[in-house]
Amino acid sequence: MAEIITANSAETLSVFFRPGQDKRLVNSNSDSIFTFGDFRIERASELDTITGTSENLGFGPFSTLDSLDVNDFNPLVTQAYVSNRELNLPKTDPLSYTYFASFYTEISNSVNNILDNFPYAILSNTSAGNTIFDYSSTFNLITNKKTSTFKVPVSTLINQGDVIINSGSPITTNSLVSDTSKYGVQLSGVSSANTTVHKIISYNYSGAGGFAEFVIEGFLLDGSSTTSSLPFYIRPSKKRFEEFQSNLSRLEHHTLNDGSFLIPNVDDDGTSTLRKYTWPKTIDGFNPDTRGSEFELFKEGILKGANSVDEAKTNILLKTVIPENYLDFDTDTKIYRKLVQTYASEIDTVKNYIDAMAYAHSITYSGEESTPNKFLFKLSKLLGWNLSASFNEIDLFEYLTGDSEGEGNSHLHYNLEVWKRILVNLNWLYKKKGTRDALQFIFKLIGAPDCLIGFDEFVYDIEKTTRAVTPNSILSAIGVGSKIDDDGYLDFDKSDFDFQEGGPGRGTGKDYINQWEPEFKPSKRVDNIKTQVGDPLKGGTRDIINTKELCLTIDPARAI
């Protein structure tokens, strides 16, 4: 038997990506003889096994591994690996991140990691003078490509992240010189109509002239102006920014983008208050501040809150498991405490997965306390619903990222939101299957206003009739049928059809209604309520025939 090869499907996407169904078949030097589900029998295709002889063939009733010359029988193991950052635990609860470890330590590490790894942008801004000069633009009629060339005074640059702009620097990481393709140019300010991130074609730094020269795709400025005082960013590309966001841990992501935590009131009765610690961006508007009074206030506040969490809830391993005399003899650098925190952090990682198992079959609108997004498809299959992915024809990167800078409105996000709403309402939809409510739910799901949709159901009114005096019993005895009962209403037992048949080759169900002509003269009318009890004096609801006919229209004029 050959070695089992595991395909990490969690890191492999097909062009028709669906979370939980992104299987990858490992390349192998063999031919599949038999497949069933995720299992297969293969015959190796090396030269010494492909011959013209029939030594491995037989006419026996059964085939065996020997007769098939099979040297491989491997299940295709599809890993459903979920990273810790994909768990959907309550974001504001510190216990979702730590319990045995110190929350203070984890917050400190998160802040430091963000400061070290953030893809910083450079802002060109000045209160006097120009940020752009010698601007020119060209349009290639052959390739239909637009390019712009301009210079930027180095004196106008606010380089908070110390991005390397000097071509003589030996440092290659976080460098505009060596990683030019990872940066773009974007005008600053929401008031500007041009918020496109322009790809940098080439970059050159001139130390003698005190300026940086750029060649970018597209037109940065409108009109024929050669100078501008507009502020603009030399910023990371959307792809690089998305890579940074996707590699953040859950705590790092929440600290940077939200910062709301339930902090215990230590001096009170132990209740918790939701407090928000917003990381300021006062220096340049793009990067999180790395210095200044606003940053110091943020850092002091969130660390103070984390310390309150440790006093009341977390840091359990150090407080309850480790003897105090072990800590009393610790070194000045607190080596033992750091070692304990390392173990506690790893234990918390395992605990997070255990806590998330409680939500393996749960779906919520907010996304918290629910199964990981990549398992939505598998959960829907378990519940008997085959979800279909949208936006299949869209670029894969745009589908997965879209606007990744805090808005969360990628095509993947929209696709998952639709799936979540269907799964949250799945039990209700099953109960309402085939009813007006279930169909209207689909339109409400996509946000269509009620006035846009015309949705009419119908019933048929019949006229009570008088039949011959001869009773049905006598008519039956002589072999003559009648569709009129003794009270003058429909005798459903005499129907030529079991129900209102419809579909390909069977019509629209009208045959069931037409059979009651001419005795009752069925008259169709709109009835969108269908909750009539009926008048006992008029035979209850015996003068009404229900029908499955619908009229569904989309009327923009009504919406306007």
Side-chain angles (χ1 to χ4, degrees):
M1 302 294 290
E3 179 183 359
I4 296 179
I5 303 175
T6 302
N8 185 355
S9 65
E11 299 177 357
T12 306
L13 298 179
S14 69
V15 293
F16 299 109
F17 165 70
R18 295 182 183 180
Q21 207 185 32
D22 48 342
K23 294 182 180 179
R24 179 180 66 178
L25 302 183
V26 183
N27 293 328
S28 60
N29 188 24
S30 59
D31 296 326
S32 293
I33 298 175
F34 172 77
T35 61
F36 183 78
D38 283 349
F39 295 90
R40 66 181 176 185
I41 300 175
E42 294 182 338
R43 174 187 294 157
S45 56
E46 286 84 358
L47 292 177
D48 60 347
T49 62
I50 300 181
T51 66
T53 67
S54 57
E55 60 183 357
N56 295 321
L57 302 180
F59 294 95
F62 301 104
S63 296
T64 65
L65 295 180
D66 292 332
S67 66
L68 290 174
D69 190 26
V70 171
N71 59 10
D72 196 3
F73 182 64
N74 293 340
L76 295 182
V77 181
T78 303
Q79 284 190 347
Y81 175 74
V82 178
S83 66
N84 188 274
R85 61 178 173 266
E86 293 176 301
L87 300 178
N88 292 324
L89 298 172
K91 297 178 181 178
T92 59
D93 188 358
L95 294 179
S96 297
Y97 307 101
T98 60
Y99 178 73
F100 295 100
S102 167
F103 190 61
Y104 181 96
T105 302
E106 296 299 325
I107 284 290
S108 301
N109 291 336
S110 297
V111 173
N112 289 332
N113 290 338
I114 293 171
L115 292 175
D116 292 340
N117 301 316
F118 190 86
Y120 290 96
I122 304 173
L123 175 64
S124 176
N125 191 19
T126 180
S127 58
N130 293 319
T131 57
I132 298 174
F133 67 97
D134 289 351
Y135 176 84
S136 62
S137 58
T138 59
F139 177 69
N140 192 318
L141 295 176
I142 299 177
T143 61
N144 291 326
K145 288 187 176 181
K146 304 174 182 178
T147 57
S148 301
T149 303
F150 59 92
K151 297 179 180 179
V152 181
V154 176
S155 59
T156 66
L157 300 182
I158 302 175
N159 191 0
Q160 186 181 180
D162 296 327
V163 178
I164 304 301
I165 61 174
N166 187 351
S167 57
S169 173
I171 302 175
T172 58
T173 58
N174 202 24
S175 170
L176 179 61
V177 179
S178 59
D179 293 329
T180 305
S181 61
K182 295 183 178 181
Y183 289 87
V185 173
Q186 181 184 30
L187 291 178
S188 172
V190 295
S191 59
S192 174
N194 186 2
T195 58
T196 305
V197 179
H198 300 272
K199 181 180 179 181
I200 300 177
I201 300 176
S202 65
Y203 165 76
N204 182 49
Y205 173 78
S206 174
F211 62 84
E213 184 174 355
F214 293 86
V215 179
I216 64 172
E217 291 183 354
F219 294 163
L220 185 64
L221 302 177
D222 298 328
S224 58
S225 176
T226 59
T227 61
S228 174
S229 59
L230 291 174
F232 69 92
Y233 290 111
I234 305 166
R235 49 151 296 167
S237 64
K238 286 189 175 183
K239 182 177 181 180
R240 185 184 175 207
F241 194 84
E242 173 59 26
E243 288 176 351
F244 164 76
Q245 290 279 3
S246 62
N247 288 325
L248 290 174
S249 69
R250 290 186 301 115
L251 184 56
E252 291 169 356
H253 190 278
H254 189 65
T255 302
L256 176 62
N257 298 304
D258 190 294
S260 298
F261 294 102
L262 289 168
I263 305 299
N265 301 315
V266 180
D267 299 331
D268 201 352
D269 56 355
T271 59
S272 298
T273 302
L274 185 64
R275 299 180 185 176
K276 187 175 180 65
Y277 305 96
T278 304
W279 200 316
K281 298 181 180 180
T282 56
I283 296 178
D284 54 36
F286 184 93
N287 305 308
D289 288 356
T290 60
R291 58 183 182 271
S293 59
E294 294 290 334
F295 172 70
E296 293 300 326
L297 288 174
F298 160 76
K299 183 173 65 173
E300 180 182 350
I302 195 170
L303 291 178
K304 183 179 179 181
N307 189 63
S308 298
V309 174
D310 277 345
E311 292 180 7
K313 294 183 177 181
T314 55
N315 205 17
I316 297 299
L317 189 62
L318 201 62
K319 290 191 298 186
T320 63
V321 179
I322 305 301
E324 292 185 6
N325 58 333
Y326 280 37
L327 303 177
D328 293 338
F329 293 100
D330 201 358
T331 63
D332 293 338
T333 56
K334 299 181 179 180
I335 293 178
Y336 187 74
R337 286 177 179 267
K338 293 177 181 178
L339 179 63
V340 171
Q341 288 297 334
T342 301
Y343 279 105
S345 180
E346 291 300 316
I347 296 173
D348 277 328
T349 300
V350 177
K351 181 180 179 296
N352 288 338
Y353 284 100
I354 297 174
D355 293 341
M357 290 177 65
Y359 314 122
H361 297 88
S362 301
I363 298 293
T364 61
Y365 287 120
S366 65
E368 293 186 3
E369 300 184 354
S370 64
T371 188
N373 290 338
K374 66 169 55 176
F375 285 158
L376 288 180
F377 186 87
K378 292 182 178 294
L379 180 59
S380 69
K381 296 285 284 186
L382 179 65
L383 298 176
W385 188 285
N386 188 13
L387 297 174
S388 58
S390 303
F391 314 112
N392 277 342
E393 300 304 321
I394 228 157
D395 177 77
L396 182 61
F397 176 72
E398 291 295 328
Y399 171 74
L400 295 176
T401 60
D403 187 355
S404 59
E405 298 168 19
E407 299 298 329
N409 55 352
S410 65
H411 295 285
L412 172 63
H413 170 80
Y414 292 134
N415 207 55
L416 293 175
E417 286 302 306
V418 171
W419 286 6
K420 287 178 184 177
R421 279 153 176 74
I422 290 177
L423 292 175
V424 167
N425 293 276
L426 191 57
N427 289 333
W428 180 87
L429 283 172
Y430 280 148
K431 294 177 182 178
K432 298 289 185 178
K433 184 178 180 181
T435 66
R436 180 187 187 90
D437 291 339
L439 293 175
Q440 286 183 319
F441 167 80
I442 302 299
F443 295 102
K444 291 180 179 179
L445 181 69
I446 62 177
D450 293 339
C451 58
L452 179 65
I453 308 300
F455 189 7
D456 290 329
E457 298 177 82
F458 301 95
V459 296
Y460 282 87
D461 293 324
I462 63 170
E463 298 179 6
K464 181 180 179 180
T465 187
T466 303
R467 67 171 194 83
V469 180
T470 308
N472 275 342
S473 58
I474 300 177
L475 291 175
S476 299
I478 62 177
V480 177
S482 175
K483 296 180 180 179
I484 307 172
D485 65 8
D486 294 336
D487 296 327
Y489 292 103
L490 281 70
D491 189 348
F492 292 100
D493 292 335
K494 298 299 189 299
S495 173
D496 296 332
F497 304 93
D498 293 331
F499 55 91
Q500 298 180 41
E501 292 183 355
R506 297 192 298 270
T508 61
K510 290 283 290 183
D511 291 340
Y512 183 90
I513 303 298
N514 292 337
Q515 69 173 328
W516 306 111
E517 293 277 7
E519 293 90 344
F520 298 99
K521 300 179 181 178
S523 175
K524 184 167 68 173
R525 64 177 172 86
V526 175
D527 181 7
N528 293 330
I529 302 177
K530 292 194 174 182
T531 57
Q532 299 181 43
V533 178
D535 187 351
L537 299 178
K538 296 183 178 180
T541 56
R542 298 173 67 187
D543 58 344
I544 298 174
I545 307 178
N546 198 2
T547 178
K548 298 179 180 178
E549 296 177 52
L550 299 173
C551 180
L552 184 61
T553 59
I554 299 178
D555 192 346
R558 288 172 55 187
I560 295 173

